[in-house]
Amino acid sequence: MAERCAVIGVGQTHHKAKREDVSIAGLVREAAKAALADADLTWSDIDAVVIGKAPDMFEGNMMPEIYLAPALGAVGKPMFRVHTAGSVGGSTALVAAHLVKSGIHKRVLTVAYEKQSDSDAMWALSVPQPFAAPLLAGAGGYFAPHIRAYMRRSGAPEHIGRMVAVKDRQNAMRNPYAHLHLADIDMKMVEESMMLWDPLRYLEACPSSDGAAAMVLAAEDALSGQYPPAWIHGTAMRSEPTMFAGRDQVNPQAGRDCSADVYAQAGITNPREQFDCAEVYVPFSWYEPMWLENLGFCDLGDGWKLTESGATAFDGDIPWNASGGVLSSNPIGASGMLRFLEVAMQVRGQAGEHQVDGAKLALGQAYGGGSQFFSMWVVGSAKP
Amino acid sequence: MSAAARTARPVSIASFAQMQNVRKDDEHNEVEMLMPVIAEVFGNIGITKDDVDFICSGSTDYLIGGPFSFVMALDAVGVWPPRSESHVEMDGAWALYEAWVLLQEGEIDAALVYSFGRSSLGDLNEILSLQLDPYYLAPMWPDTVSLAALQARALIDAGKATEADFAAIAARSRKDALSNPKAQVANDIPAETLLEDEYVVSPLRRHALPPITDGAAAIVLAAGDKARQWSDKPVWITGFDHRIETHSLGARDLTSSPSTTKAAEVAGLADGPVDVAEIHAPYAHQEIIIREALGLDDTVPINPSGGPLAANPLMSAGLIRIGEAAASIKSGKAKRAVAHATSGPCLQQNLVCVLEGE
């Protein structure tokens, strides 16, 4: 029988295009120290460290857990490294949660990061590999055709993407840690920004950020911290192949299966009704309506209508990405963990200006690869 | 903590398979390398991918030289319908640890673990330099053989070993490998002859270095009823832990391995006799350090498979140690065994897995 597990500390860096004031070690320590402080703990209280990031080639540092062990207080402890593509921040938190749920450890520190300014993600994503279709244009070039397919399938009008781009940037104005603070953002500004990958314009794409996220996860008999715990009500991961005839890249089966699994664990039958908010991996604007459908917040083909109605806005009935989301901060390896962390902040009531009133139950989602890897958790203020 | 790590829930090594270890496999891509291994690991016990509830793999992008190398490798399993699946940028022994943790929760009963890597594609000395502190160490490109040589020199200076000891370990390993059809380097050359080798980096001669190996391996873990269904005499994991040391080589006593000792303690290694040890010591001198750290006396046979001196497929060599240790028990040669895996320069990170038969 699995033990109960809760988030008792969260920490994140100020995400920026270039954090030239810190090394990689300094970056991860900033987030980890904040998480420890939030949990009223010190390094010596931690039993194990689980770290995740996206491809090592992004910084040119192979298996960085080896170098980062002392910076994260892991010397003499288990140090574990996760890599599941863009979903890695979420998967890393899940591996840490399992170390507690299994009864092996009482308090686990989990950290994820990316220092994109040390690297060129576009280049690292475009290295030609034998027998594999070249990405060449980075992630945006890969996803743009899927977005076109969604628009054709659902009949969504062009302005939906721009609405998400504006909404998430307006939310980011309430989040002091967000990378982008675009006070003047509006539909016109997005529309006038450069076309990158048709139909995606510059302001409909995520930024490249330096940043880190950290959480302390604890067993029921090891709780501490200034805020109430965020109890984990469900965890799930799913993967499917990159390509095969008949694969639905717009509405991937792995995403649907993953949410069905995590909802069953958490007793969710109507996500839009039962969740108070959600943090979902939306690196390109159109992924909000696409994931609204994939995650069952509405019927197929209705995702864009939900976005258009304002339901997912900060003052809507189901706020999505109140933190500003990936569109406002994108330290790739940490972007998934930030989703998981932000929903923990919401149900603990510590989200400050972007706190969703009375948030008690929330969904965190991350995806990666060619929208084929999914990780999710449900956290709540009540004990499961 | 240690009580929990000595396994609340017994988990068995239900099946093990590995590729023929070779110096260079330039006829297959990673998926093609893995497919026969996956087929064998399932075929051994007559199951399919539908019988496992979780999949975890270990690999590193730096061998293939491109990002997301694990993504396409997943096609070797064929994750359709979608599967619960994870990946570690570590040796497959740590992927096995992740799967074992999940099995501890009691909600799933079986998992597939695999790892792969082609060490032949690039220059390992250059590649492994990129594991080092990117600000203060990597820019000097210290190569992995030279770092191992520093450790070997420290061992000699401390009076803990001689070059003849390194040669004896190499001679024994490769002679034992003659009975391992999957080994890459197997021969019967006396230690005295090996000592006539030139130094690669003093005090390490050619024989004290691991071969460069392309390889892949897989293990099926089972718990509960499945463990009994898939084996008449299951081999159980009775203790499992891993620990890391500081990265700064200057701050470590390179002649000892406190992280191995700690992991062995948590895994309860000293709770019973050890009949055989499979040690992931890529360099001959490292076997001496790990043997001492595990508290094994001279009577415990080390690496009857030939060990990493006979085949050292990066990212799989640790997982193979666990598979080989389980095989020793399964064959009746041992009742209780220990497997060890390592990562990082000069044995910085170490994993200990204790296995027992019935």
Side-chain angles (χ1 to χ4, degrees):
Chain A
M1 186 59 198
E3 307 278 335
R4 289 193 184 94
C5 177
V7 180
I8 62 164
V10 300
Q12 62 182 300
T13 57
H14 286 276
H15 314 299
K16 285 190 166 59
K18 292 185 182 195
R19 282 294 307 267
E20 287 176 333
D21 57 322
V22 287
S23 61
I24 294 172
L27 191 75
V28 295
R29 266 180 84 85
E30 190 175 309
K33 284 170 77 174
L36 288 171
D38 185 31
D40 274 334
L41 298 174
T42 64
W43 298 104
S44 59
D45 297 315
I46 297 299
D47 299 329
V49 180
V50 182
I51 187 166
K53 71 175 302 296
D56 296 359
M57 294 179 76
F58 281 6
E59 286 89 358
N61 184 202
M62 178 188 184
M63 299 159 79
E65 68 278 5
I66 288 167
Y67 140 68
L68 290 172
L72 289 170
V75 173
K77 298 175 186 175
M79 173 110 183
F80 201 86
R81 162 70 194 289
V82 182
H83 177 19
T84 62
S87 63
V88 64
S91 318
T92 304
L94 296 188
V95 171
H98 287 304
L99 285 172
V100 174
K101 288 170 74 181
S102 62
I104 293 168
H105 295 303
K106 291 293 182 195
R107 293 185 197 88
V108 176
L109 172 68
T110 184
V111 185
Y113 75 95
E114 206 76 56
K115 202 159 190 295
Q116 287 215 58
S117 67
D118 275 15
S119 69
D120 186 336
M122 186 77 102
W123 171 82
L125 284 172
S126 302
V127 182
Q129 290 186 39
F131 312 113
L135 269 172
L136 299 178
Y142 183 87
F143 291 119
H146 302 162
I147 290 169
R148 270 285 170 216
Y150 171 74
M151 293 168 76
R152 188 176 302 114
R153 197 185 281 190
S154 67
E158 297 255 349
H159 69 271
I160 300 298
R162 296 196 285 277
M163 283 187 73
V164 178
V166 171
K167 179 207 70 164
D168 282 3
R169 271 51 173 268
Q170 284 173 339
N171 286 348
M173 293 301 294
R174 302 167 180 272
N175 177 2
Y177 295 103
H179 173 179
L180 296 183
H181 286 124
L182 305 173
D184 302 328
I185 188 87
D186 61 14
M187 296 287 279
K188 187 160 174 287
M189 188 171 161
V190 178
E191 194 172 354
E192 286 175 356
S193 66
M194 185 172 44
M195 181 64 82
L196 291 182
W197 307 278
D198 186 34
L200 287 170
R201 292 182 181 276
Y202 180 76
L203 283 174
E204 290 182 77
C206 53
S208 292
S209 314
D210 287 358
M215 289 187 281
V216 180
L217 306 185
E220 193 173 359
D221 57 357
L223 301 179
S224 63
Q226 306 160 33
Y227 288 92
W231 293 100
I232 298 170
H233 288 240
T235 60
M237 288 164 76
R238 283 296 184 283
S239 309
E240 70 182 42
T242 314
M243 55 189 100
F244 64 92
R247 176 172 180 236
D248 187 350
Q249 275 114 329
V250 175
N251 186 19
Q253 182 72 39
R256 284 181 278 157
D257 290 0
C258 193
S259 59
D261 186 354
V262 81
Y263 292 172
Q265 293 170 45
I268 303 291
T269 50
N270 185 337
R272 184 174 172 190
E273 287 286 319
Q274 288 173 273
F275 288 128
D276 298 300
C277 58
E279 286 278 342
V280 177
Y281 205 103
V282 178
F284 302 103
S285 58
W286 280 93
Y287 272 86
E288 174 172 304
M290 288 163 75
W291 291 148
L292 276 166
E293 295 175 25
N294 187 253
L295 289 167
F297 280 68
C298 59
D299 289 336
L300 268 185
D302 286 351
W304 65 270
K305 295 172 193 163
L306 213 58
T307 295
E308 191 176 43
S309 74
T312 59
F314 186 66
D315 58 359
D317 70 271
I318 179 64
W320 266 37
N321 296 323
S323 66
V326 183
L327 280 170
S328 304
S329 312
N330 184 36
I332 303 174
S335 293
M337 185 172 288
L338 285 168
R339 309 282 68 74
F340 281 45
L341 177 154
E342 285 287 350
V343 287
M345 288 175 71
Q346 291 288 353
V347 301
R348 298 175 83 204
Q350 64 175 150
E353 277 191 61
H354 66 283
Q355 177 69 45
V356 173
D357 259 354
K360 290 189 173 60
L361 196 65
L363 169 72
Q365 179 259 26
Y367 87 95
S371 47
Q372 66 194 114
F373 299 116
F374 293 84
S375 57
M376 301 178 192
W377 80 6
V378 173
V379 287
S381 53
K383 201 187 285 188
Chain B
M1 176 171 35
S2 59
R6 288 174 204 179
T7 60
R9 189 185 193 206
V11 171
S12 77
I13 308 280
S15 180
F16 164 57
Q18 64 177 313
M19 202 181 96
Q20 178 67 49
N21 290 284
V22 292
R23 170 63 181 82
K24 185 179 180 71
D25 182 346
D26 47 13
E27 292 179 7
H28 304 98
N29 67 18
E30 281 69 10
V31 173
E32 291 165 331
M33 283 166 61
L34 273 167
M35 284 187 79
V37 177
I38 304 287
E40 184 183 337
V41 83
F42 285 151
N44 284 343
I45 49 175
I47 66 166
T48 70
K49 64 186 175 187
D50 295 334
D51 295 304
V52 296
D53 313 297
F54 179 65
I55 301 165
C56 196
S57 64
S59 69
T60 176
D61 286 345
Y62 267 83
L63 291 183
I64 198 171
F68 302 120
S69 63
F70 63 92
V71 173
M72 294 308 284
L74 205 47
D75 285 345
V77 186
V79 283
W80 190 260
R83 305 292 161 142
S84 180
E85 185 267 343
S86 188
H87 171 260
V88 300
E89 198 85 354
M90 307 179 87
D91 186 285
W94 277 267
L96 190 90
Y97 183 83
E98 181 177 334
W100 173 82
V101 168
L102 219 60
L103 284 160
Q104 291 306 304
E105 286 175 38
E107 281 161 24
I108 63 166
D109 292 328
L112 167 70
V113 175
Y114 66 89
S115 57
F116 61 95
R118 279 193 289 173
S119 309
S120 66
L121 291 177
D123 179 336
L124 282 188
N125 270 338
E126 282 193 12
I127 292 168
L128 291 171
S129 290
L130 297 171
Q131 276 190 338
L132 304 170
D133 181 322
Y135 304 98
Y136 294 109
L137 267 176
M140 296 186 288
W141 295 94
D143 65 89
T144 181
V145 179
S146 296
L147 293 180
L150 277 176
Q151 185 177 38
R153 175 63 64 199
L155 206 60
I156 292 170
D157 288 350
K160 286 183 169 184
T162 64
E163 289 182 39
D165 295 331
F166 306 163
I169 288 166
R172 187 210 72 224
S173 296
R174 286 161 186 148
K175 189 177 176 188
D176 287 345
L178 287 167
S179 57
N180 176 2
K182 297 293 172 80
Q184 176 192 351
V185 182
N187 53 44
D188 186 4
I189 303 172
E192 306 78 60
T193 311
L194 292 179
L195 281 167
E196 293 164 14
D197 286 352
E198 296 287 315
Y199 287 117
V200 178
V201 180
S202 173
L204 297 179
R205 302 171 197 270
R206 176 66 61 196
H207 61 258
L209 272 55
I212 293 168
T213 311
D214 289 357
I219 281 178
V220 172
L221 288 180
D225 293 343
K226 282 183 174 171
R228 296 275 168 205
Q229 274 169 29
W230 296 343
S231 174
D232 297 336
K233 288 167 67 181
V235 176
W236 301 105
I237 296 173
T238 57
F240 209 166
D241 192 55
H242 63 97
R243 301 280 152 168
I244 197 165
E245 295 172 35
T246 193
H247 182 61
S248 175
L249 293 167
R252 288 173 52 197
D253 172 3
L254 296 179
T255 69
S256 68
S257 181
S259 55
T260 301
T261 302
K262 175 72 179 172
E265 185 189 315
V266 175
L269 181 64
D271 292 352
V274 178
D275 302 320
V276 69
E278 282 284 342
I279 290 175
H280 183 195
Y283 295 87
H285 68 273
Q286 293 176 336
E287 180 182 304
I288 297 165
I289 297 167
I290 299 300
R291 180 196 275 271
E292 183 189 282
L294 290 172
L296 303 177
D297 64 37
D298 291 344
T299 64
V300 178
I302 308 267
N303 293 341
S305 65
L309 287 168
N312 187 40
L314 285 191
M315 313 316 286
S316 300
L319 184 66
I320 290 171
R321 303 281 70 73
I322 297 173
E324 292 285 7
S328 284
I329 294 173
K330 201 176 166 195
S331 69
K333 286 180 196 148
K335 279 188 178 155
R336 192 165 184 269
V338 61
H340 158 267
T342 195
S343 179
C346 300
L347 305 168
Q348 187 190 336
Q349 186 176 23
N350 295 283
L351 171 147
V352 173
C353 182
V354 180
L355 300 158
E356 285 182 49
E358 293 191 332

